[in-house]
Amino acid sequence: MDNAKDIKNSFNSLDLTGQTAVVTGANSGIGEGVAKGLAEAGASVVVNYVSGEDRAIKVVNEIISKGGKAVAIHADVSSEHQVQEMFKHACKEYGTVDILVNNAGLQQDAAFHELTIAQWQKVIDVNLTGQFLCAREAVREFLRRGVTPKISSAAGKIICVSSVHDIIPWAGHANYAASKGGVAMLMKTMAQELASKKIRVNSVAPGAIKTPINTSAWDTPEAEASLLKLIPYGRVGVTEDIAKAVIWLASDHSDYVNGATIYVDGGMTLYPEFREGG
Ligand code: BGC
């Protein structure tokens, strides 16, 4: 840092210009918010989707209309071949990939004794195996390219979108909680293994965020009031809350952060029941 001006600029900027981000499941919910946020921060964005092509194209068009760069790429994250093709396509389009946001995820809820093998497998395939497959392709590209100092201090950044349910057990959602617990350990192991290659891997763990995955938890005043009992900060989150944390983790502002989970949850993980008990 040469002078005060450089310091000011450096602390002001979360600029991701010149970097390419792949965001999985970016045609709705948290993925959509993150894709738009990363584009606003200057990144070229791959808007991945598995179904709902029209929504993906809408996200891309919204980004482009604001002067950003984006392309929609179809791939089922639980398919090794489709993930490999998506990364090939992304590199062809933008030259390389610098940031992966492992976001695609779903819920298939059931009481434990009624949970089918199909429901178990689907959730593990998308939420956990999907994160592994995308991370592996991203890491292969990061290792091939190495660090480009003008672009970033790191060879690449992976942000796993986890959940408060990587530490909060969740009755009726054993498959989902198990998948997110798996993501927590996958993330930390990748972070430990890849740090010496200048690859940073971290998680953002959202609490209750208003998206299609949990509409019934907040779309009536009664449901929202009941949900708010679990959120000390007193509001349900929005996708921008997650995007801001992801952008920070993708930028060099978090250059010394590796293997961390940031809970963006309004305090949901603080055992709110204990405000009046214990
Ligand atoms: C789930 C949401 C839930 C939130 C808080 C998320 O991981 O996908 O359905 O509202 O955790 O419980």
Side-chain angles (χ1 to χ4, degrees):
M1 233 47 89
D2 286 345
N3 55 41
K5 188 168 162 281
D6 285 343
I7 292 170
K8 186 164 173 282
N9 284 342
S10 147
F11 280 96
N12 273 346
S13 160
L14 284 167
D15 191 10
L16 300 174
T17 304
Q19 301 196 49
T20 297
V22 172
V23 184
T24 64
N27 57 338
S28 75
I30 289 174
E32 175 178 352
V34 166
K36 289 177 179 170
L38 287 168
E40 262 188 59
S44 304
V45 180
V46 170
V47 174
N48 159 259
Y49 67 98
V50 64
S51 58
E53 186 180 23
D54 48 334
R55 293 274 317 164
I57 290 170
K58 191 162 173 263
V59 174
V60 166
N61 288 339
E62 279 177 42
I63 290 173
I64 292 172
S65 72
K66 289 190 172 170
K69 290 190 192 133
V71 63
I73 303 184
H74 172 269
D76 174 350
V77 296
S78 66
S79 155
E80 182 176 34
H81 176 69
Q82 291 184 33
V83 167
Q84 287 173 338
E85 288 302 310
M86 170 169 70
F87 274 82
K88 266 191 220 152
H89 186 161
C91 289
K92 208 169 155 210
E93 189 79 28
Y94 294 125
T96 188
V97 170
D98 306 273
I99 299 157
L100 166 67
V101 184
N102 251 339
N103 168 76
L106 48 80
Q107 286 180 218
Q108 292 204 355
D109 311 329
F112 188 74
H113 63 288
E114 285 167 354
L115 189 59
T116 65
I117 183 71
Q119 290 170 319
W120 171 266
Q121 201 61 57
K122 181 75 182 172
V123 170
I124 297 293
D125 282 352
V126 174
N127 296 12
L128 183 56
T129 307
Q131 293 221 10
F132 156 64
L133 289 172
C134 293
R136 192 186 60 180
E137 289 320 301
V139 165
R140 287 175 175 169
E141 174 58 15
F142 301 161
L143 293 175
R144 184 201 63 74
R145 172 179 33 74
V147 176
T148 311
K150 269 194 196 156
I151 295 287
S152 173
S153 310
K157 284 88 50 163
I158 297 176
I159 296 106
C160 299
V161 178
S162 176
S163 164
V164 290
H165 299 296
D166 70 356
I167 51 166
I168 303 180
W170 202 15
H173 307 76
N175 48 357
Y176 184 82
S179 74
K180 295 300 185 178
V183 166
M185 216 50 191
L186 172 67
M187 180 280 288
K188 284 191 192 188
T189 301
M190 289 193 291
Q192 187 196 58
E193 183 167 337
L194 298 164
S196 64
K197 310 287 186 203
K198 303 294 270 179
I199 294 170
R200 293 193 299 112
V201 190
N202 293 286
S203 285
V204 170
I209 307 297
K210 288 190 174 178
T211 71
I213 208 172
N214 62 0
T215 313
S216 62
W218 49 262
D219 70 346
T220 64
E222 299 73 35
E224 184 156 6
S226 153
L227 183 59
L228 286 174
K229 288 189 195 142
L230 300 176
I231 309 173
Y233 202 56
R235 71 170 171 88
V236 182
V238 290
T239 59
E240 289 79 4
D241 293 315
I242 307 303
K244 285 173 188 162
V246 168
I247 291 166
W248 182 73
L249 283 173
S251 79
D252 280 1
H253 279 227
S254 59
D255 191 49
Y256 206 48
V257 180
N258 201 14
T261 298
I262 301 183
Y263 290 92
V264 183
D265 67 349
M268 194 176 235
T269 39
L270 297 173
Y271 297 97
E273 308 80 7
F274 277 78
R275 283 175 293 190
E276 280 135 36

